[in-house]
């Protein structure tokens, strides 16, 4: 009986010496770690010359299995096969300064480069049109960092600003350029020039394409178009901005089509030589005539004054009376 017991014990010892323990291993591309719990994954006997077939590896939160560290895939002696794992970290990409801040999360293996997943070009693709990156992360080199912990990339963004340049197309006349942010619009300036009627702003110097106000998405140069004003040029006075045209060109033909501030004309003390059609509008004046002197034709205009506030208008050494004009050498009809 004792002899049989010893035989059994010896047999068990021989069996135990043939058992292989399988644990973790990596492919060398990044830093790697053994199985996080340090426990044996699997044990089995393999006959000499047989192929070693590792079992399915365990899964661990925060780690990724990289492979098995086996000296040989054929059993020739007792071996320990290790399962290798790589620790995982989160790199958070936070974009601020946009209309709505955006956040993106990326998973990296320990020791890998941020640039393996996140590059400057890639971040730029995430930005809406018209935005750019400010600060350090506008340079490619700042993405060449090793991941050894969770990382937050706080990237500031701003709207691109464009320059709107105005070419006034007239000697001695200029208008300052504007700085306009992407997607925004601006108010077109109106110009006046003696002897010419402002014809608007164009996108080319040949005046083939008139500029229509819209959201700005690039640098713009606009060209002012001018039409020479003659005695036959007909101009509508539709608003206060047209008064400058009248003051600079009193020899043209004007028709009142909107509500304007007639007192601004009166304050200028203008000598008028063209045609002024009041369009049956009523001109509310203070204590000065509409024109200092009329050498042209004025018609179809009503004038409203406060009689108690009327004073003499003094031009030079003479006291001048009148509502339509102080001096009249032209014609005044239906006023």
């Amino acid at each position: 009986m004792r002899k049989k017991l010893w035989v059994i014990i010896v047999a068990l010892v021989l069996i135990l010496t043939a058992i292989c323990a399988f644990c973790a291993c990596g492919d060398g591309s990044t830093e790697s770690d053994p199985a996080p719990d340090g426990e044996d994954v699997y044990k089995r006997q393999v006959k000499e010359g047989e192929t070693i077939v590792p079992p399915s590896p365990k899964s661990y939160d925060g780690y990724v299995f990289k492979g098995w560290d086996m000296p040989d895939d054929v059993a020739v002696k007792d071996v320990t096969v290790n399962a290798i794992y790589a620790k995982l970290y989160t790199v958070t990409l936070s974009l601020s300064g946009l209309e709505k801040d955006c956040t993106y999360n990326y998973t990296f293996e320990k020791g890998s480069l941020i640039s393996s997943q996140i590059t400057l070009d890639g971040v730029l693709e995430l930005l809406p049109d018209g935005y750019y990156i400010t600060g350090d992360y506008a340079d490619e080199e700042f993405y060449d960092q090793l991941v050894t912990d969770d990382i937050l990339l706080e990237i500031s963004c701003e709207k691109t600003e464009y320059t709107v340049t105005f070419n006034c197309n007239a000697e001695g006349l200029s208008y300052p350029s504007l700085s306009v942010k992407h997607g925004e619009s601006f108010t077109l300036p109106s110009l006046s020039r003696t002897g010419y009627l402002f014809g608007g702003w164009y996108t080319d110097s040949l005046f083939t394409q008139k500029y229509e106000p819209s959201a700005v998405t690039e640098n713009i140069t606009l060209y002012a178009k001018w039409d020479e004003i003659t005695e036959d040029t007909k101009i509508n006075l539709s608003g206060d901005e047209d008064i400058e045209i009248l003051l600079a060109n009193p020899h043209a033909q004007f028709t009142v089509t909107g509500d304007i501030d007639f007192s601004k004309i009166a304050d200028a003390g203008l000598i008028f030589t063209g045609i002024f059609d009041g369009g049956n509008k009523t001109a509310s004046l203070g204590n000065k005539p509409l024109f200092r002197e009329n050498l042209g034709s004025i018609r179809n205009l009503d004038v409203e004054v406060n009689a108690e506030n009327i004073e003499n208008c003094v031009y030079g050494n003479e006291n001048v009376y009148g509502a339509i004009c102080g001096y009249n050498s032209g014609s005044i009809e239906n006023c």
Side-chain angles (χ1 to χ4, degrees), residues 134-278:
T134 63
D136 293 341
Y137 286 98
D139 297 325
E140 188 71 56
E141 63 184 44
F142 284 90
Y143 297 86
D144 292 330
Q145 301 181 42
L146 290 177
V147 179
T148 58
D149 203 344
D150 292 334
I151 298 176
L152 173 61
L153 302 182
E154 295 182 291
I155 300 180
S156 299
C157 309
E158 291 184 5
K159 271 189 177 183
T160 302
E161 289 191 354
Y162 303 107
T163 299
V164 180
T165 303
F166 298 97
N167 185 333
C168 294
N169 200 26
E171 185 177 354
L173 188 61
S174 63
Y175 196 88
S177 60
L178 299 178
S179 181
V180 183
K181 291 186 176 181
H182 178 88
E184 298 181 359
S185 58
F186 62 95
T187 300
L188 286 171
S190 181
L191 304 179
S192 61
R193 177 187 176 193
T194 301
Y196 292 86
L197 182 64
F198 178 57
W201 293 101
Y202 286 74
T203 60
D204 64 302
S205 59
L206 298 178
F207 312 112
T208 61
Q209 183 64 48
K210 192 168 186 178
Y211 179 74
E212 299 295 337
S214 59
V216 178
T217 59
E218 60 183 352
N219 294 327
I220 303 172
T221 297
L222 299 178
Y223 300 85
K225 183 177 183 296
W226 299 100
D227 297 311
E228 187 175 2
I229 295 177
T230 67
E231 294 178 355
D232 297 326
T233 302
K234 297 180 180 180
I235 303 170
N236 289 333
L237 298 179
S238 58
D240 292 348
E241 65 276 4
D242 296 323
I243 293 176
E244 296 298 326
I245 300 175
L246 170 62
L247 299 182
N249 304 278
H251 56 283
Q253 301 182 33
F254 297 90
T255 300
V256 179
T257 59
D259 296 325
I260 65 174
D261 188 349
F262 288 93
S263 64
K264 291 183 178 180
I265 301 175
D267 289 338
L270 192 66
I271 298 177
F272 186 73
T273 60
I275 297 176
F276 187 93
D277 189 332

Side-chain angles (χ1 to χ4, degrees), residues 28 64 71 83 114 204 218 220 312 334:
V64 61
I114 290 178
D204 64 302
E218 60 183 352
I220 303 172
N312 294 341
N334 193 33

Side-chain angles (χ1 to χ4, degrees), residues 231 246 249-254 270-278 290-300 324-335:
E231 294 178 355
L246 170 62
N249 304 278
H251 56 283
Q253 301 182 33
F254 297 90
L270 192 66
I271 298 177
F272 186 73
T273 60
I275 297 176
F276 187 93
D277 189 332
L290 180 62
F291 297 113
R292 171 183 175 178
E293 184 174 358
N294 173 43
L295 300 176
S297 175
I298 303 172
R299 55 178 178 260
N300 304 323
I324 297 295
C325 60
Y327 301 97
N328 179 41
S329 298
S331 64
I332 299 177
E333 304 174 4
N334 193 33
C335 294

